[in-house]
Amino acid sequence: NDLINEVQERYHTSSIIITHDLTCARDTADRVAMLLDGNFAKEGTFEEVFSSEDERIKSFYNYNFTQ
């Protein structure tokens, strides 16, 4: 995560990061897109996406942060 943030800051670049690691997404992303069944289910900041009322998104969040 630190390396991703350092490269973005140093070189003023954008990155597309594909991950199931929500800690990485939270720590590196300005914007998050959540895919469900191959379709965009929600897009926005980390907080916007994971405050969704969609039970599948809530379940994914809870699985990652309550284990």
Side-chain angles (χ1 to χ4, degrees):
N1 295 346
D2 291 338
L3 179 59
I4 292 168
N5 289 329
E6 182 181 326
V7 168
Q8 288 176 336
E9 187 174 316
R10 179 180 293 167
Y11 298 105
H12 306 286
T13 61
S14 297
S15 301
I16 297 174
I17 302 165
I18 300 168
T19 186
H20 289 101
D21 181 345
L22 293 187
T23 301
C24 176
R26 181 190 62 206
D27 292 347
T28 61
D30 295 324
R31 309 292 293 170
V32 173
M34 179 76 173
L35 295 172
L36 294 170
D37 300 323
N39 298 303
F40 287 101
K42 186 83 172 169
E43 184 270 329
T45 66
F46 186 88
E47 292 77 17
E48 289 169 343
V49 170
F50 291 103
S51 65
S52 172
E53 293 301 316
D54 186 310
E55 289 300 321
R56 298 170 300 170
I57 294 174
K58 285 177 163 180
S59 175
F60 187 69
Y61 179 89
N62 290 335
Y63 178 80
N64 276 268
F65 287 113
T66 59
Q67 294 288 325

